[in-house]
Amino acid sequence: MRNKPPYALSSVDHALQLAALLQQEGPMRVTDAAERLGVAVSTAHRLLAMLVYRDFAEQGPDRRYRPGKVLRPAETTGAPVALLRELGLPELRTLVERTGESANLVVPAGTEVRFIATVESRQILRVGDRVGRSLPAHQASGGKAILAALPATDVTALYDGDATVDLPRLRRELALVRRRGFAVNDQLTETGLTAIGMAVRGPAGTPLAAVSLALPTARFDRDELPGWVSAISAAVTRIQLALAQRS
């Protein structure tokens, strides 16, 4: 038997109840959610908006809300997430100080990459916190950087038979990423967002994660690219050195 906490937060309780309802009962409208929780429609709308923001829910073309990625079975990652977050966060903060743009740390999870740390830019127009979200690895800058660092046979095993991915084209793009040493996501995952990513390798040379710099496409300037790549590279190098010391 579980007792309700003496200082329960009703907003948190409602959000958790709503997430459970979506997972257990499937699609619902805002009015359905309000009725089930016994709250105002405006309150239900705000709760659903926050669940969508954190990938616990998503809204379909019919305006109904469905379970999001977080509530669906997800690929696991073999990366040492806690250690990477510990070592990566200070470097992300330094990267943001150097560039003025938001920085992320992602880890591979099957054919996706999962955001495990974000440090936001202080600019008014900026890319926000992505922690907990997942993106297709073949589109995200950090994902492409990780894929480019894998053996070709591993990439083939991941995508062979996947009709949504043009494998020959992906191989050509990953070859370019290997030559450059970094990957670019130019509005592939979100309109108006451009990101640059580089892989973080473990002591054995295996790609464990990636650091990405994300900015509004309106501020992306190819003349600034060498400086951004240099700053990302410095962060990646320091994380790799710290990983080697911990191993």
Side-chain angles (χ1 to χ4, degrees), residues 157-178:
L158 280 171
Y159 295 104
D160 195 23
D162 187 339
T164 65
V165 176
D166 184 338
L167 190 52
R169 180 178 178 179
L170 178 60
R171 288 193 186 107
R172 292 193 296 271
E173 185 171 4
L174 296 182
L176 178 61
V177 172
R178 281 190 289 272

Side-chain angles (χ1 to χ4, degrees), residues 18 23 27 29 47 76-77 90 94 141 158 179 191 197 214 217 224:
L18 189 50
Q23 187 178 50
R29 297 165 297 182
L47 289 168
T76 58
T77 179
T94 300
S141 64
L158 280 171
R179 289 197 297 273
T191 302
T217 302
E224 298 289 337

